[in-house]
Amino acid sequence: MRRRTFLSTLPAGALMATAGAATARPSLQTAPENPFAGVTMGDRITGAPFAGRSTVWGMNGAAATAHPTATLIGIDTLRRGGSAIDAAIAINAALGFLEPTANGIGGDAFCMLWDPAQRKVVGFNGSGNSPRGLSLETARSKAIDGYLPRYGAVTVNVPGTVDAWWSAHQRYGKLPWADVLLPVAELCDQGVPMPQTIAWYMERNMAGFDRSTVIEENENRKAVYAPGGRTPRVGEVFANPHLGRTLRLIAEGGRDAFYQGPIAGQMERYFRRIGGWMTRADLAAHRTEWVEPIQTNYRGVDVYGLGPNTQGLATNQILNICEQFDLKGMGFQTAASIHHQAEAKRLAFEDRAKWFADDRFSQTPVEWLNSKAYAAGRARLIRPDRVMDRAFPGDAPTQGDTTYFSVADRDGMMVSWIQSNYRGMGSGLVPDDGERPLGFMFQDRGELFALTDGHPNVYAPGKRPFHTIIPGFACKDGDPWMAFGVMGGGMQPQGQAQIIINMVDYGLDPQEAGDSPRWQHEGSSEPTGQPSEGVGVLHLENGVSQAARAGLEQRGWVLGPTDGGFGGYQNVVMQQNPGSRWTYGAATEMRKDGIALAY
């Protein structure tokens, strides 16, 4: 059985190294495997001692992304008079070049934003359909151990990102379309130095593709991401002029250049050549869907999420269950607090596995699953002294890798945007124009379809798969509070809930909330049809105390090592200041390469 998790993108050697760092006992004759073992961070004179930096504050705009250059591009777009949506599009386009290990125009995008004119949170679903010409029978013929493979053409759905850009710009853009994208195309030509974390992931992603036997074509990805026979190392300049050419076509021709024009034709010819299924007609039929976010209230804070086919509802469910307990009274990062949070996750994820799918094909009972009454009943299943032997979905009435960023502008618009190719860099397939690569990789999001008859998420032509990527948004007293997110497959709802709990229950500021040690539970049932694995494994970062670890083990938890699977966080908050204008605070993820800036 192959568990589909964020960690499955990591090589076994990396997991062994992290596990060794936590458990190995060096002898007197040999140096420790980790030369920094036992050394923790330095002291800060104020704030939480585990925080790596302060929240950044400004008055006119803010951006927090996983790459410093992307943050700078966002700030520059705002300073040129662009809206937060203009900045978001520029950031996302730049990250497709700068952080190809997590996103790109071959993937899908989702967003929630605060519309200051309407004074409400609005959202869109930018996920694409499966190819109309790919049948369930053919998909099953490509299965490995009963599930769709990680890579290759059978996992490719229509990329939704470019149309998401276009749709958002049509509603909220201020700068001309071309002025948003052309600076990014120029950056692709110039190149940038490769940062540490992205270099690490790129090398390992490409090695994983090299080991695969199901990818139909490999030369294009090597030409783009491993020119000269290897991936760029830390500090070396990486450029992608192939992507620069593609972005110029989109800048000149709008979304139609990608979905109906020359790029669409090139993609169709590429799939025809390698034996894939996506066509120009599939691309032309795609449209971004504007949706009404679902909402819950956690101890006075309105928390928003996107409904199925995303897992946004799971965040709400975790918080609704946790609200039934006095987490503050249990203490910060204690065994009792982590135990109740993780049990809430297990319960929510069983519903996720049973119900979450494309709502055009099956109806998820969202109102019931999101209700306080349902949460109260689920909370009663949690014992304070012992882990549940098995978590089951509720009887509701019938009815990666990823990049995340936040950006806000001087008019009060706040954007929470998430975009992904799914597993690392994606499917392994990079299209070309017959001679040169187009500079981007197709997503492998279709891997998340189930193949079991009767399952809500079973594969069908023209259907959207279950999606892990979810933006986050929260409001207080009718005003926007924060545009935030935690990327990383199934870690996302777990991480979002931890951020809210850290700030609401424990009073941490945005940067402290992200730098706090995290937990991640694995082993729940999956929307692909995979069953749960007993109580699963509860992974803890090294900052969790030994007392908390001992208390969790006493309750029956199986603890796993810190393993790099704790996601990536960005946040922009709006602070209401009595007697003066509101201000923005921006926080970024210390586990990534990025920065947060405000001005």
Side-chain angles (χ1 to χ4, degrees), residues 44 46-47 51-57 509-512 515 585-588 596:
R44 285 176 57 84
T46 185
R53 69 194 99 182
S54 303
T55 298
V56 179
W57 290 93
D509 76 16
Q511 189 63 51
E512 295 167 346
D515 287 353
T588 193

Side-chain angles (χ1 to χ4, degrees), residues 267-334:
M267 288 189 283
E268 181 180 60
R269 288 189 291 273
Y270 174 75
F271 278 110
R272 188 182 303 137
R273 187 175 85 241
I274 69 169
W277 296 272
M278 195 167 69
T279 67
R280 191 168 184 161
D282 291 321
L283 291 158
H286 175 75
R287 293 293 184 274
T288 299
E289 180 185 6
W290 290 89
V291 296
E292 188 75 23
I294 57 177
Q295 176 187 351
T296 192
N297 186 279
Y298 182 75
R299 308 194 202 280
V301 173
D302 291 320
V303 181
Y304 295 82
L306 297 181
N309 58 317
T310 84
Q311 61 177 338
L313 176 57
T315 301
N316 289 22
Q317 288 187 277
I318 293 170
L319 291 172
N320 285 342
I321 295 170
C322 285
E323 192 178 37
Q324 310 299 314
F325 303 101
D326 181 13
L327 297 185
K328 183 177 180 180
M330 294 177 189
F332 178 64
Q333 292 283 337
T334 62

Side-chain angles (χ1 to χ4, degrees), residues 213-408:
T213 60
V214 301
I215 302 173
E216 291 86 351
E217 187 277 321
N218 287 286
E219 294 308 310
N220 287 346
R221 68 170 174 84
K222 294 178 181 179
V224 173
Y225 301 113
R230 64 170 176 83
T231 58
R233 293 171 181 159
V234 176
E236 292 181 346
V237 174
F238 170 67
N240 188 349
H242 308 293
L243 180 59
R245 286 194 302 273
T246 299
L247 289 176
R248 285 187 175 87
L249 288 173
I250 297 170
E252 295 166 3
R255 57 88 61 198
D256 287 351
F258 189 86
Y259 293 95
Q260 300 180 36
I263 303 172
Q266 291 160 3
M267 288 189 283
E268 181 180 60
R269 288 189 291 273
Y270 174 75
F271 278 110
R272 188 182 303 137
R273 187 175 85 241
I274 69 169
W277 296 272
M278 195 167 69
T279 67
R280 191 168 184 161
D282 291 321
L283 291 158
H286 175 75
R287 293 293 184 274
T288 299
E289 180 185 6
W290 290 89
V291 296
E292 188 75 23
I294 57 177
Q295 176 187 351
T296 192
N297 186 279
Y298 182 75
R299 308 194 202 280
V301 173
D302 291 320
V303 181
Y304 295 82
L306 297 181
N309 58 317
T310 84
Q311 61 177 338
L313 176 57
T315 301
N316 289 22
Q317 288 187 277
I318 293 170
L319 291 172
N320 285 342
I321 295 170
C322 285
E323 192 178 37
Q324 310 299 314
F325 303 101
D326 181 13
L327 297 185
K328 183 177 180 180
M330 294 177 189
F332 178 64
Q333 292 283 337
T334 62
S337 179
I338 295 173
H339 167 74
H340 285 81
Q341 294 176 54
E343 290 284 60
K345 176 269 179 184
R346 290 179 65 205
L347 291 168
F349 269 48
E350 292 307 310
D351 287 334
R352 167 184 177 263
K354 178 179 179 179
W355 297 105
F356 293 14
D358 187 345
D359 60 4
R360 300 172 304 175
F361 287 74
S362 62
Q363 292 300 308
T364 303
V366 172
E367 184 176 354
W368 173 250
L369 295 174
N370 193 45
S371 71
K372 299 294 187 180
Y374 181 69
R378 300 291 273 169
R380 285 193 288 271
L381 300 174
I382 299 175
R383 291 184 51 168
D385 60 338
R386 192 180 74 189
V387 65
M388 292 179 288
D389 294 332
R390 179 82 183 274
F392 293 93
D395 293 324
T398 301
Q399 322 237 11
D401 293 327
T402 303
T403 199
Y404 172 82
F405 57 88
S406 308
V407 62

Side-chain angles (χ1 to χ4, degrees), residues 53 64-66 511 514-515 569-571 586-590 594-596:
R53 69 194 99 182
T65 85
Q511 189 63 51
D515 287 353
Y569 159 77
Q570 313 292 339
N571 195 353
T588 193
E589 177 59 82
M590 62 90 169
I595 60 172

Side-chain angles (χ1 to χ4, degrees), residues 509-575:
D509 76 16
Q511 189 63 51
E512 295 167 346
D515 287 353
S516 170
R518 294 188 192 137
W519 57 267
Q520 181 191 199
H521 177 264
E522 293 181 324
S524 296
S525 301
E526 294 289 339
T528 55
Q530 290 172 284
S532 63
E533 299 175 355
V535 301
V537 177
L538 184 62
H539 294 274
L540 304 173
E541 287 195 300
N542 284 328
V544 177
S545 71
Q546 290 302 315
R549 292 171 188 272
L552 289 164
E553 287 182 322
Q554 289 171 3
R555 287 169 169 82
W557 288 100
V558 177
L559 300 186
T562 182
D563 51 26
F566 298 95
Y569 159 77
Q570 313 292 339
N571 195 353
V572 171
V573 301
M574 176 185 282
Q575 177 172 295

